[in-house]
Amino acid sequence: MDKIEQAVRKVFAGFDANEVTMAQIAKSANVSLQTLYKYFGDKQTLFYTIMDIVLGRLAARIMDHLQGIDSVQDRLRKTLWVCFDFVDSHPDAVMVLSSVSASRIRNIAIYETKS
């Protein structure tokens, strides 16, 4: 899955999302095109699945860093620090996320409202 995640981040960060093909992603990940279709079905599902994984890691890291911090000011400061660190260490993921329109962000599973 790591190879596929890296390929999605690389390919989507380097090309217009509408021009990216499953074949490009498969080649970049060094997996067969059939493997991508078997596990993800289509490019949109693959994209949203990988972005959910990336954002899930960020959310878990934020929650981990907030443990034991009571002050709202300190919690905000720590949250911003973790987010800025994420931007520094994952510029390709940030480029990919910034290409998603606000109306389509809700398609990423991490943004679903839990009842």
Side-chain angles (χ1 to χ4, degrees), residues 71-86:
S71 161
V72 173
Q73 182 180 9
D74 288 340
R75 290 174 71 87
L76 179 58
R77 182 179 295 124
K78 183 58 86 169
T79 300
L80 289 172
W81 180 87
V82 172
C83 288
F84 288 140
D85 183 63
F86 176 81

Side-chain angles (χ1 to χ4, degrees), residues 8-95:
V8 166
R9 289 169 41 180
K10 176 183 171 188
V11 174
F12 275 93
F15 297 94
D16 181 276
N18 294 323
E19 296 174 5
V20 171
T21 66
M22 291 286 273
Q24 286 175 302
I25 297 166
K27 183 177 179 181
S28 181
N30 198 26
V31 299
S32 73
L33 188 57
Q34 291 78 14
T35 298
L36 289 184
Y37 280 110
K38 178 181 178 182
Y39 289 103
F40 300 101
D42 59 38
K43 179 176 76 170
Q44 186 173 353
T45 302
L46 171 60
F47 175 81
Y48 290 138
T49 300
I50 297 302
M51 288 301 99
D52 185 54
I53 291 168
V54 170
L55 291 172
R57 270 194 233 115
L58 174 60
R61 188 160 181 236
I62 289 170
M63 295 306 292
D64 185 49
H65 279 274
L66 294 178
Q67 298 299 315
I69 300 175
D70 294 325
S71 161
V72 173
Q73 182 180 9
D74 288 340
R75 290 174 71 87
L76 179 58
R77 182 179 295 124
K78 183 58 86 169
T79 300
L80 289 172
W81 180 87
V82 172
C83 288
F84 288 140
D85 183 63
F86 176 81
V87 169
D88 282 344
S89 57
H90 300 88
D92 55 346
V94 174
M95 286 177 60

Side-chain angles (χ1 to χ4, degrees), residues 12 16-18 42-48 51 55 96-97 99-112:
F12 275 93
D16 181 276
N18 294 323
D42 59 38
K43 179 176 76 170
Q44 186 173 353
T45 302
L46 171 60
F47 175 81
Y48 290 138
M51 288 301 99
L55 291 172
V96 171
L97 286 168
S99 70
V100 179
S101 70
S103 63
R104 295 178 64 190
I105 287 278
R106 63 190 150 107
N107 293 332
I108 300 174
I110 199 166
Y111 290 107
E112 291 177 2

